Amino acid sequence: SYVLTQPPSVSVAPGQTARITCGGNNIGSKSVHWYQQKPGQAPVLVVYDDSDRPSGIPERFSGSNSGNTATLTISRVEAGDEADYYCQVWDSSSDHYVVFGGGTKLTVL
Amino acid sequence: QVQLVQSGAEVKKPGASVKVSCKASGYTFTSYGISWVRQAPGQGLEWMGWISAYNGNTNYAQKLQGRVTMTTDTSTSTAYMELRSLRSDDTAVYYCARVVTGLDWYFDLWGRGTLVTVSS
């Protein structure tokens, strides 16, 4: 089945830019979606279809996808961005139609 | 407003079954599918399956085939997930999520989660 690989943790100072990667075989041929999950809360969609933002999500959140790596970029990081972030794809050839990455803990220093 | 409201926490013994509900409001229930996603303590997200609220078609993750059943009641805009033969490793928070389907699937609305604890 299809595997998505994320770094377990990323740390960044407030005001800087955080980049969270999601690796997968030829992931550039798929649409990648990103979720933010704060402790004790349900996930929230922050980027869909590689780079689109749902209404209400700040422009600071952006995404890209090419080759074997998709990236979620958070500009001008704030303390409130500290959370777990998960990438997700749909893979109809897999026994799991929906595949999540293992998640990345973003720490704001 | 647009939301998914889930049923309350459950404690079950090994071998028992659990049925979790997810009531939708604020949108046309039959226009979207519902997926169930679970999260074991301290772990990541695991997709369990999907049901079409339009026609009841389902697709389950292979590892749960035979133990999980997803249903909907369109008269009350409610989705249900039943998991049988519970084991300790089924202890998790279970989320329902609205599925946007187009070229592929993603989840744009989530319930707050239901904690299911399996313990003797």
Side-chain angles (χ1 to χ4, degrees):
Chain A
S1 60
Y2 195 78
V3 176
L4 295 175
T5 301
Q6 297 183 237
S9 63
V10 168
S11 299
V12 64
Q16 299 304 303
T17 297
R19 294 179 179 84
I20 299 172
T21 59
C22 176
N25 184 34
N26 197 26
I27 196 173
S29 67
K30 302 180 181 297
S31 289
V32 179
H33 320 291
W34 292 91
Y35 303 88
Q36 176 194 68
Q37 185 180 33
K38 296 181 179 179
Q41 298 185 20
V44 172
L45 180 70
V46 293
V47 167
Y48 66 97
D49 289 348
D50 296 339
S51 58
D52 291 333
R53 277 185 316 278
S55 61
I57 300 301
E59 292 183 6
R60 301 185 297 104
F61 288 82
S62 62
S64 63
N65 184 18
S66 179
N68 292 318
T69 304
T71 303
L72 173 69
T73 301
I74 309 171
S75 304
R76 303 180 299 283
V77 166
E78 303 173 357
D81 297 331
E82 187 162 288
D84 293 325
Y85 291 84
Y86 295 90
C87 58
Q88 175 248 312
V89 300
W90 180 68
D91 182 42
S92 61
S93 65
S94 172
D95 58 353
H96 273 61
Y97 271 29
V98 172
V99 181
F100 288 101
T104 297
K105 168 68 175 178
L106 175 66
T107 299
V108 181
L109 301 170
Chain B
Q1 73 270 32
V2 180
Q3 62 181 351
L4 298 172
V5 178
Q6 297 187 224
S7 50
E10 304 262 13
V11 179
K12 297 291 183 181
K13 294 191 182 304
S17 299
V18 69
K19 191 170 186 177
V20 180
S21 68
C22 169
K23 183 173 176 58
S25 61
Y27 72 94
T28 302
F29 182 63
T30 52
S31 294
Y32 295 84
I34 293 286
S35 264
W36 291 86
V37 176
R38 69 180 180 178
Q39 186 171 37
Q43 301 301 308
L45 303 173
E46 178 187 12
W47 181 75
M48 300 178 66
W50 162 87
I51 182 166
S52 166
Y54 174 72
N55 58 17
N57 286 349
T58 56
N59 188 287
Y60 302 137
Q62 191 168 40
K63 71 174 285 188
L64 295 173
Q65 289 271 5
R67 287 209 299 140
V68 68
T69 301
M70 297 176 187
T71 57
T72 59
D73 180 346
T74 56
S75 68
T76 60
S77 299
T78 303
Y80 299 91
M81 185 283 300
E82 181 180 33
L83 189 61
R84 300 176 293 278
S85 302
L86 289 168
R87 310 186 291 246
S88 58
D89 62 356
D90 291 318
T91 294
V93 176
Y94 288 75
Y95 295 101
C96 60
R98 188 174 75 172
V99 183
V100 177
T101 56
L103 294 178
D104 67 321
W105 296 3
Y106 59 91
F107 312 116
D108 70 337
L109 179 68
W110 294 67
R112 297 181 70 171
T114 296
L115 175 61
V116 175
T117 302
V118 182
S119 174
S120 55

